[in-house]
Coordinates of all heavy atoms in Angstrom, one line a residue:
M1 N 0.8 -1.2 0.0 CA 0.0 0.0 0.0 C 0.9 1.2 0.0 O 0.8 2.1 -0.8 CB -0.9 0.0 1.2 CG -2.1 1.0 1.2 SD -3.2 0.7 -0.3 CE -4.2 2.1 -0.1
A2 N 1.8 1.3 1.0 CA 2.7 2.5 1.1 C 3.5 2.5 -0.2 O 3.7 3.6 -0.8 CB 3.6 2.3 2.3
K3 N 4.0 1.4 -0.7 CA 4.8 1.3 -1.9 C 4.1 1.9 -3.1 O 4.7 2.7 -3.8 CB 5.2 -0.1 -2.1 CG 6.7 -0.3 -2.1 CD 7.0 -1.8 -2.4 CE 8.4 -2.1 -2.0 NZ 8.7 -3.6 -2.2
S4 N 2.8 1.5 -3.3 CA 2.1 2.0 -4.5 C 1.9 3.5 -4.4 O 1.8 4.2 -5.4 CB 0.8 1.2 -4.7 OG -0.1 1.6 -3.7
S5 N 1.7 4.0 -3.2 CA 1.4 5.5 -3.1 C 2.7 6.3 -3.5 O 2.6 7.3 -4.1 CB 0.8 5.9 -1.7 OG 1.9 5.9 -0.8
V6 N 3.8 5.7 -3.1 CA 5.1 6.4 -3.5 C 5.3 6.4 -5.0 O 5.6 7.3 -5.6 CB 6.3 5.7 -2.8 CG1 7.6 6.1 -3.4 CG2 6.3 6.0 -1.3
R7 N 4.9 5.2 -5.6 CA 5.1 5.1 -7.0 C 4.2 6.1 -7.7 O 4.5 6.7 -8.7 CB 4.8 3.6 -7.4 CG 5.4 3.3 -8.8 CD 5.4 1.8 -9.0 NE 4.1 1.2 -8.8 CZ 3.9 0.0 -8.3 NH1 4.8 -0.7 -7.8 NH2 2.6 -0.4 -8.2
Y8 N 2.9 6.2 -7.2 CA 2.0 7.1 -7.8 C 2.5 8.6 -7.7 O 2.4 9.3 -8.6 CB 0.6 7.0 -7.0 CG -0.5 7.7 -7.7 CD1 -0.8 7.4 -9.0 CD2 -1.2 8.7 -7.0 CE1 -1.9 8.1 -9.7 CE2 -2.3 9.4 -7.7 CZ -2.6 9.1 -9.0 OH -3.6 9.7 -9.6
G9 N 3.1 8.9 -6.6 CA 3.7 10.3 -6.4 C 4.8 10.5 -7.4 O 4.8 11.6 -8.0
A10 N 5.6 9.6 -7.6 CA 6.7 9.7 -8.6 C 6.2 9.9 -10.0 O 6.7 10.7 -10.7 CB 7.6 8.5 -8.5
E11 N 5.1 9.2 -10.3 CA 4.5 9.3 -11.6 C 3.9 10.7 -11.8 O 4.1 11.3 -12.8 CB 3.4 8.2 -11.7 CG 2.6 8.3 -13.0 CD 3.5 8.0 -14.3 OE1 4.5 7.3 -14.2 OE2 3.1 8.6 -15.3
L12 N 3.3 11.2 -10.8 CA 2.7 12.5 -10.9 C 3.8 13.6 -11.1 O 3.6 14.5 -11.8 CB 1.9 12.9 -9.6 CG 0.5 12.3 -9.5 CD1 -0.1 12.8 -8.2 CD2 -0.4 12.8 -10.6
R13 N 4.9 13.4 -10.3 CA 6.0 14.4 -10.4 C 6.6 14.4 -11.8 O 6.9 15.4 -12.4 CB 7.0 14.0 -9.4 CG 7.8 15.2 -8.9 CD 8.6 15.0 -7.6 NE 9.0 13.7 -7.4 CZ 8.7 12.9 -6.3 NH1 7.8 13.3 -5.5 NH2 9.2 11.7 -6.2
R14 N 6.7 13.1 -12.4 CA 7.3 13.0 -13.7 C 6.4 13.7 -14.7 O 6.8 14.4 -15.6 CB 7.4 11.5 -14.1 CG 8.5 11.4 -15.1 CD 9.0 9.9 -15.2 NE 8.0 8.9 -15.1 CZ 8.1 7.9 -14.2 NH1 9.1 7.8 -13.4 NH2 7.1 7.0 -14.1
R15 N 5.0 13.6 -14.5 CA 4.1 14.2 -15.5 C 4.2 15.7 -15.3 O 4.1 16.4 -16.3 CB 2.7 13.7 -15.2 CG 2.0 13.2 -16.4 CD 0.6 12.6 -16.1 NE 0.8 11.2 -15.6 CZ -0.3 10.6 -15.1 NH1 -1.5 11.1 -15.0 NH2 -0.1 9.3 -14.6
A16 N 4.3 16.2 -14.1 CA 4.3 17.6 -13.9 C 5.6 18.2 -14.5 O 5.5 19.3 -15.1 CB 4.4 17.9 -12.4
E17 N 6.7 17.5 -14.5 CA 7.9 17.9 -15.1 C 7.7 18.0 -16.6 O 8.2 19.0 -17.3 CB 9.1 17.0 -14.8 CG 9.8 17.4 -13.5 CD 10.7 16.3 -13.0 OE1 11.2 15.5 -13.8 OE2 10.9 16.3 -11.7
A18 N 7.0 17.1 -17.2 CA 6.8 17.1 -18.6 C 6.0 18.3 -19.0 O 6.2 18.9 -20.1 CB 6.1 15.8 -19.1
V19 N 5.0 18.6 -18.2 CA 4.2 19.8 -18.5 C 5.0 21.0 -18.4 O 4.9 21.9 -19.3 CB 3.0 19.9 -17.4 CG1 2.3 21.2 -17.5 CG2 2.0 18.7 -17.7
Q20 N 5.8 21.2 -17.4 CA 6.7 22.3 -17.3 C 7.6 22.5 -18.5 O 7.8 23.6 -19.0 CB 7.5 22.2 -16.0 CG 6.7 22.4 -14.7 CD 6.0 23.7 -14.6 OE1 6.6 24.8 -15.0 NE2 4.8 23.8 -14.2
K21 N 8.1 21.4 -18.9 CA 9.0 21.4 -20.1 C 8.3 21.9 -21.3 O 8.8 22.7 -22.0 CB 9.6 20.0 -20.3 CG 11.1 19.9 -20.3 CD 11.6 18.5 -20.6 CE 12.6 18.1 -19.5 NZ 13.0 16.7 -19.7
S22 N 7.1 21.3 -21.6 CA 6.4 21.7 -22.8 C 5.9 23.1 -22.7 O 5.7 23.7 -23.7 CB 5.3 20.7 -23.1 OG 4.3 20.8 -22.1
K23 N 5.7 23.6 -21.5 CA 5.2 25.0 -21.4 C 6.4 25.9 -21.8 O 6.1 27.0 -22.4 CB 4.9 25.3 -19.9 CG 3.4 25.2 -19.6 CD 3.2 25.2 -18.1 CE 3.1 26.6 -17.5 NZ 2.7 26.5 -16.1
R24 N 7.6 25.6 -21.5 CA 8.7 26.4 -21.8 C 9.3 26.2 -23.2 O 10.0 27.1 -23.7 CB 9.8 26.2 -20.8 CG 9.8 27.3 -19.7 CD 10.8 27.0 -18.6 NE 10.3 25.9 -17.8 CZ 11.0 25.3 -16.9 NH1 12.3 25.6 -16.7 NH2 10.5 24.3 -16.2
A25 N 9.0 25.1 -23.8 CA 9.6 24.8 -25.1 C 9.1 25.7 -26.2 O 8.1 26.4 -26.1 CB 9.2 23.3 -25.5
K26 N 9.9 25.8 -27.2 CA 9.5 26.6 -28.4 C 9.0 25.7 -29.4 O 9.4 24.5 -29.6 CB 10.7 27.3 -29.0 CG 11.2 28.5 -28.2 CD 12.3 29.2 -28.9 CE 12.8 30.4 -28.1 NZ 14.0 31.0 -28.7
Y27 N 8.0 26.2 -30.2 CA 7.4 25.3 -31.2 C 7.5 25.9 -32.6 O 7.6 27.2 -32.7 CB 5.9 25.1 -30.9 CG 5.7 24.3 -29.6 CD1 5.7 24.9 -28.4 CD2 5.6 22.9 -29.7 CE1 5.6 24.2 -27.2 CE2 5.5 22.2 -28.5 CZ 5.5 22.8 -27.3 OH 5.4 22.0 -26.2
A28 N 7.4 25.1 -33.6 CA 7.5 25.6 -35.0 C 6.2 26.3 -35.3 O 5.1 25.9 -35.0 CB 7.7 24.4 -35.9
C29 N 6.4 27.5 -36.0 CA 5.3 28.3 -36.4 C 4.6 27.7 -37.6 O 5.2 27.2 -38.5 CB 5.8 29.7 -36.7 SG 4.6 30.8 -37.4
F30 N 3.2 27.7 -37.5 CA 2.5 27.1 -38.7 C 2.6 28.0 -39.9 O 2.3 27.6 -41.0 CB 1.0 27.0 -38.3 CG 0.8 26.0 -37.2 CD1 0.0 26.3 -36.1 CD2 1.4 24.7 -37.2 CE1 -0.2 25.4 -35.1 CE2 1.2 23.8 -36.2 CZ 0.4 24.2 -35.1
K31 N 2.9 29.3 -39.6 CA 2.8 30.3 -40.7 C 4.2 30.4 -41.4 O 4.3 30.3 -42.6 CB 2.4 31.6 -40.1 CG 1.6 32.4 -41.1 CD 1.1 33.7 -40.4 CE 0.5 34.7 -41.3 NZ 0.2 36.0 -40.6
C32 N 5.2 30.7 -40.6 CA 6.5 30.9 -41.2 C 7.5 29.7 -41.0 O 8.6 29.7 -41.6 CB 7.1 32.2 -40.6 SG 7.7 32.0 -38.9
G33 N 7.1 28.8 -40.2 CA 7.9 27.6 -40.1 C 9.1 27.7 -39.1 O 9.8 26.7 -38.9
K34 N 9.3 28.9 -38.6 CA 10.4 29.1 -37.7 C 10.1 28.6 -36.3 O 8.9 28.7 -35.9 CB 10.8 30.5 -37.6 CG 11.6 31.0 -38.8 CD 11.9 32.5 -38.7 CE 12.6 32.9 -40.0 NZ 12.4 34.4 -40.2
K35 N 11.1 28.0 -35.6 CA 10.8 27.5 -34.3 C 10.9 28.6 -33.3 O 11.8 28.7 -32.5 CB 11.9 26.4 -34.0 CG 11.2 25.2 -33.4 CD 12.2 24.1 -33.1 CE 11.6 23.0 -32.3 NZ 12.5 22.0 -31.9
N36 N 9.9 29.5 -33.3 CA 9.9 30.7 -32.5 C 8.6 30.9 -31.8 O 8.3 32.0 -31.4 CB 10.3 31.9 -33.4 CG 11.5 32.6 -32.8 OD1 11.8 32.4 -31.7 ND2 12.1 33.4 -33.6
V37 N 7.8 29.9 -31.7 CA 6.4 30.1 -31.1 C 6.5 29.8 -29.6 O 7.0 28.8 -29.2 CB 5.4 29.2 -31.7 CG1 4.0 29.3 -31.0 CG2 5.3 29.5 -33.2
K38 N 6.1 30.8 -28.8 CA 6.2 30.7 -27.4 C 4.8 30.9 -26.8 O 4.0 31.7 -27.3 CB 7.2 31.7 -26.8 CG 8.6 31.4 -27.1 CD 9.6 32.0 -26.2 CE 9.7 31.2 -24.9 NZ 10.7 31.8 -24.0
R39 N 4.6 30.3 -25.6 CA 3.3 30.5 -25.0 C 3.3 31.9 -24.4 O 4.2 32.3 -23.7 CB 3.2 29.4 -23.9 CG 2.0 29.3 -23.1 CD 2.1 28.1 -22.2 NE 0.9 28.0 -21.4 CZ 0.7 28.6 -20.2 NH1 1.6 29.4 -19.7 NH2 -0.5 28.4 -19.5
I40 N 2.2 32.6 -24.6 CA 2.1 33.9 -24.0 C 1.0 34.0 -22.9 O 1.2 34.7 -22.0 CB 1.7 35.0 -25.1 CG1 0.5 34.6 -26.0 CG2 2.9 35.3 -25.9 CD1 0.1 35.8 -26.8
S41 N 0.0 33.1 -23.0 CA -0.9 33.0 -21.8 C -1.6 31.7 -22.0 O -1.4 31.0 -22.9 CB -1.8 34.2 -21.7 OG -2.7 34.2 -22.9
Y42 N -2.6 31.5 -21.2 CA -3.3 30.2 -21.2 C -3.8 29.9 -22.6 O -4.7 30.6 -23.2 CB -4.5 30.3 -20.2 CG -5.2 29.0 -20.1 CD1 -4.7 28.0 -19.2 CD2 -6.4 28.7 -20.8 CE1 -5.4 26.8 -19.1 CE2 -7.0 27.5 -20.7 CZ -6.5 26.5 -19.8 OH -7.1 25.3 -19.7
A43 N -3.3 28.8 -23.2 CA -3.7 28.3 -24.5 C -3.5 29.4 -25.6 O -4.1 29.3 -26.7 CB -5.2 27.9 -24.5
Q44 N -2.6 30.3 -25.4 CA -2.3 31.3 -26.4 C -0.9 31.3 -26.7 O 0.0 31.3 -25.8 CB -2.7 32.7 -25.8 CG -4.1 33.0 -25.7 CD -4.7 33.9 -26.7 OE1 -4.4 35.0 -26.8 NE2 -5.5 33.3 -27.6
W45 N -0.6 31.2 -28.0 CA 0.8 31.1 -28.4 C 1.1 32.1 -29.5 O 0.2 32.5 -30.3 CB 1.0 29.7 -29.0 CG 0.7 28.6 -28.0 CD1 -0.5 28.2 -27.6 CD2 1.7 27.9 -27.3 NE1 -0.4 27.2 -26.7 CE2 1.0 27.0 -26.4 CE3 3.1 27.8 -27.2 CZ2 1.6 26.1 -25.6 CZ3 3.7 27.0 -26.4 CH2 3.0 26.1 -25.6
R46 N 2.3 32.7 -29.5 CA 2.7 33.7 -30.5 C 4.0 33.4 -31.1 O 5.0 33.0 -30.4 CB 2.6 35.1 -29.9 CG 2.7 36.1 -31.0 CD 2.6 37.5 -30.4 NE 3.7 37.7 -29.5 CZ 3.7 38.7 -28.5 NH1 2.7 39.4 -28.3 NH2 4.8 38.8 -27.7
C47 N 4.1 33.6 -32.4 CA 5.4 33.4 -33.1 C 6.2 34.7 -32.9 O 5.7 35.8 -33.3 CB 5.2 33.1 -34.5 SG 6.7 33.1 -35.5
R48 N 7.4 34.6 -32.5 CA 8.2 35.8 -32.3 C 8.9 36.3 -33.6 O 9.5 37.3 -33.6 CB 9.3 35.6 -31.2 CG 8.6 35.7 -29.8 CD 9.2 34.8 -28.8 NE 10.6 35.3 -28.4 CZ 10.9 35.9 -27.3 NH1 9.9 36.2 -26.4 NH2 12.1 36.2 -27.0
S49 N 8.7 35.5 -34.6 CA 9.3 35.9 -35.9 C 8.3 36.7 -36.7 O 8.6 37.7 -37.2 CB 9.8 34.6 -36.7 OG 10.9 34.1 -36.1
C50 N 7.1 36.1 -36.9 CA 6.1 36.8 -37.7 C 4.9 37.3 -37.0 O 4.0 37.8 -37.6 CB 5.7 35.8 -38.8 SG 4.7 34.4 -38.3
N51 N 4.9 37.1 -35.7 CA 3.9 37.7 -34.8 C 2.5 37.0 -34.9 O 1.5 37.5 -34.5 CB 3.7 39.2 -35.0 CG 4.2 40.0 -33.8 OD1 4.7 39.4 -32.9 ND2 4.2 41.3 -33.9
A52 N 2.5 35.9 -35.6 CA 1.2 35.1 -35.7 C 0.8 34.6 -34.4 O 1.7 34.2 -33.6 CB 1.4 34.0 -36.7
K53 N -0.5 34.6 -34.1 CA -1.0 34.1 -32.8 C -1.7 32.9 -33.1 O -2.5 32.7 -34.0 CB -1.9 35.2 -32.2 CG -1.2 36.1 -31.2 CD -2.3 36.9 -30.5 CE -1.6 38.0 -29.7 NZ -2.7 38.9 -29.1
F54 N -1.6 31.9 -32.1 CA -2.3 30.7 -32.2 C -3.0 30.4 -31.0 O -2.5 30.7 -29.9 CB -1.3 29.5 -32.5 CG -0.4 29.8 -33.7 CD1 0.9 30.1 -33.5 CD2 -0.9 29.6 -35.0 CE1 1.7 30.4 -34.6 CE2 -0.1 29.9 -36.1 CZ 1.2 30.2 -35.9
A55 N -4.1 29.7 -31.1 CA -4.8 29.2 -29.9 C -4.4 27.7 -29.9 O -4.6 27.0 -30.9 CB -6.3 29.3 -30.0
G56 N -3.8 27.3 -28.8 CA -3.3 25.9 -28.8 C -3.8 25.2 -27.5 O -4.7 25.7 -26.8
G57 N -3.1 24.2 -27.2 CA -3.4 23.5 -25.9 C -2.9 24.4 -24.8 O -2.2 25.3 -24.9
A58 N -3.4 24.1 -23.6 CA -3.1 24.9 -22.4 C -1.6 24.8 -22.1 O -1.0 25.8 -21.7 CB -3.8 24.4 -21.2
Y59 N -0.9 23.7 -22.3 CA 0.5 23.6 -21.9 C 1.4 23.2 -23.0 O 2.6 23.2 -22.9 CB 0.6 22.5 -20.8 CG -0.2 22.9 -19.6 CD1 -1.3 22.2 -19.2 CD2 0.2 24.1 -18.9 CE1 -2.0 22.6 -18.1 CE2 -0.6 24.5 -17.8 CZ -1.7 23.8 -17.4 OH -2.4 24.2 -16.3
S60 N 0.9 22.9 -24.2 CA 1.8 22.7 -25.4 C 1.0 23.2 -26.6 O -0.3 23.2 -26.6 CB 2.2 21.3 -25.5 OG 1.1 20.5 -25.8
L61 N 1.7 23.5 -27.6 CA 1.0 24.2 -28.8 C 0.0 23.3 -29.4 O -1.1 23.7 -29.7 CB 2.1 24.6 -29.8 CG 1.5 25.3 -31.0 CD1 0.6 26.5 -30.6 CD2 2.6 25.8 -31.9
S62 N 0.3 22.0 -29.7 CA -0.6 21.2 -30.3 C -1.2 20.2 -29.4 O -0.4 19.5 -28.7 CB 0.0 20.5 -31.6 OG 1.2 19.9 -31.2
T63 N -2.5 20.1 -29.3 CA -3.1 19.0 -28.5 C -3.2 17.8 -29.3 O -3.0 17.8 -30.6 CB -4.5 19.5 -28.1 OG1 -5.2 19.7 -29.3 CG2 -4.5 20.7 -27.3
T64 N -3.4 16.7 -28.7 CA -3.5 15.4 -29.4 C -4.7 15.5 -30.4 O -4.6 15.0 -31.5 CB -3.8 14.3 -28.4 OG1 -2.9 14.4 -27.3 CG2 -3.7 12.9 -29.1
V65 N -5.8 16.1 -30.0 CA -6.9 16.3 -30.9 C -6.5 17.1 -32.1 O -6.8 16.8 -33.3 CB -8.1 17.0 -30.2 CG1 -9.2 17.2 -31.1 CG2 -8.5 16.1 -29.0
G66 N -5.8 18.2 -31.9 CA -5.3 19.1 -33.0 C -4.4 18.3 -34.0 O -4.6 18.4 -35.2
E67 N -3.5 17.5 -33.4 CA -2.6 16.7 -34.3 C -3.5 15.8 -35.2 O -3.2 15.7 -36.4 CB -1.7 15.9 -33.4 CG -0.5 16.6 -32.9 CD 0.4 17.1 -34.0 OE1 0.5 16.4 -35.0 OE2 0.9 18.2 -33.8
T68 N -4.4 15.1 -34.6 CA -5.2 14.1 -35.3 C -6.0 14.9 -36.4 O -6.0 14.4 -37.6 CB -6.2 13.4 -34.4 OG1 -5.5 12.9 -33.3 CG2 -6.9 12.3 -35.1
G69 N -6.5 16.0 -36.1 CA -7.3 16.8 -37.1 C -6.4 17.2 -38.2 O -6.8 17.1 -39.4
R70 N -5.2 17.7 -37.9 CA -4.3 18.1 -39.0 C -3.9 16.9 -39.9 O -3.8 17.1 -41.1 CB -3.0 18.7 -38.4 CG -2.8 20.1 -38.9 CD -1.4 20.7 -38.6 NE -0.8 20.2 -37.4 CZ -1.0 20.7 -36.2 NH1 -1.8 21.7 -36.1 NH2 -0.4 20.3 -35.1
R71 N -3.7 15.8 -39.3 CA -3.3 14.6 -40.1 C -4.5 14.2 -41.0 O -4.2 13.9 -42.2 CB -3.0 13.4 -39.1 CG -1.8 12.6 -39.6 CD -1.3 11.7 -38.5 NE -0.7 12.4 -37.4 CZ -0.8 12.0 -36.1 NH1 -1.6 11.0 -35.8 NH2 -0.3 12.7 -35.1
I72 N -5.7 14.3 -40.5 CA -6.9 14.0 -41.3 C -6.9 14.9 -42.5 O -7.1 14.5 -43.7 CB -8.2 14.0 -40.5 CG1 -8.2 12.8 -39.5 CG2 -9.4 14.0 -41.4 CD1 -9.2 12.9 -38.5
I73 N -6.7 16.2 -42.3 CA -6.7 17.2 -43.3 C -5.7 17.0 -44.4 O -5.9 17.0 -45.6 CB -6.6 18.7 -42.7 CG1 -7.8 19.0 -42.0 CG2 -6.3 19.7 -43.8 CD1 -7.7 20.2 -41.0
Q74 N -4.5 16.6 -43.9 CA -3.4 16.3 -44.8 C -3.7 15.1 -45.7 O -3.5 15.1 -46.9 CB -2.1 16.0 -44.0 CG -1.3 17.3 -43.7 CD -0.2 17.1 -42.7 OE1 0.0 15.9 -42.3 NE2 0.5 18.1 -42.3
D75 N -4.3 14.1 -45.0 CA -4.7 12.9 -45.8 C -5.8 13.2 -46.9 O -5.7 12.8 -48.0 CB -5.3 11.9 -44.8 CG -4.2 11.1 -44.1 OD1 -3.1 11.2 -44.5 OD2 -4.5 10.3 -43.2
L76 N -6.7 14.1 -46.5 CA -7.7 14.5 -47.4 C -7.1 15.2 -48.6 O -7.5 15.0 -49.8 CB -8.8 15.4 -46.8 CG -9.7 14.7 -45.8 CD1 -10.6 15.8 -45.1 CD2 -10.6 13.7 -46.5
K77 N -6.1 16.1 -48.3 CA -5.5 16.9 -49.4 C -4.7 15.9 -50.3 O -4.7 16.1 -51.5 CB -4.5 17.9 -48.8 CG -5.2 19.2 -48.4 CD -4.1 20.1 -47.8 CE -4.8 21.4 -47.3 NZ -3.9 22.2 -46.5
R78 N -4.0 15.0 -49.7 CA -3.3 14.0 -50.5 C -4.2 13.2 -51.5 O -3.8 12.9 -52.6 CB -2.5 13.1 -49.6 CG -1.0 13.1 -49.8 CD -0.3 11.9 -49.3 NE -0.8 11.5 -47.9 CZ -0.2 12.0 -46.8 NH1 0.7 12.9 -46.8 NH2 -0.7 11.6 -45.6
N79 N -5.3 12.9 -51.0 CA -6.2 12.0 -51.8 C -7.1 12.8 -52.8 O -7.7 12.3 -53.6 CB -7.2 11.2 -50.8 CG -6.4 10.2 -50.0 OD1 -5.4 9.7 -50.5 ND2 -6.9 9.9 -48.8
A80 N -7.1 14.2 -52.6 CA -7.9 15.0 -53.5 C -7.3 15.1 -54.9 O -6.1 15.0 -55.1 CB -8.0 16.4 -52.9
Ligands
ZN101 ZN1 5.9 32.7 -37.6

């Protein structure tokens, strides 16, 4: 019992670290392609190269849902 609660705590800590890392990371801009997109506020991202603003995930630019959507659009374009 005690052992599993310690393991759970470590897992939470690891996840929190991953969130912190992705919050600070820079992301590639959808518009100019430069890796200069930074989080400016909750779910708001801005490219420091071209000033484009994006609404993204709360802690990282692309959410899993967004990724899936983009992939579907790319597939549609390829098949068109
Ligand atoms: Zn840009």
Side-chain angles (χ1 to χ4, degrees):
M1 193 59 184
K3 242 183 196 172
S4 74
S5 77
V6 166
R7 201 161 57 215
Y8 190 56
E11 175 63 30
L12 277 181
R13 211 164 29 243
R14 206 164 36 236
R15 229 174 284 171
E17 271 166 30
V19 166
Q20 289 300 319
K21 234 182 233 174
S22 65
K23 262 167 89 172
R24 258 173 288 167
K26 284 182 180 176
Y27 292 89
C29 174
F30 296 133
K31 213 174 167 188
C32 70
K34 282 178 187 159
K35 225 177 172 186
N36 236 341
V37 178
K38 290 201 84 180
R39 183 177 180 271
I40 51 171
S41 66
Y42 185 84
Q44 291 254 294
W45 301 76
R46 192 178 60 200
C47 173
R48 281 148 71 102
S49 288
C50 70
N51 253 356
K53 266 191 191 174
F54 306 104
Y59 299 114
S60 69
L61 180 55
S62 53
T63 59
T64 312
V65 174
E67 279 297 324
T68 309
R70 236 193 329 275
R71 219 167 293 143
I72 289 168
I73 289 166
Q74 275 169 2
D75 280 350
L76 286 174
K77 277 183 184 167
R78 238 198 316 270
N79 293 332

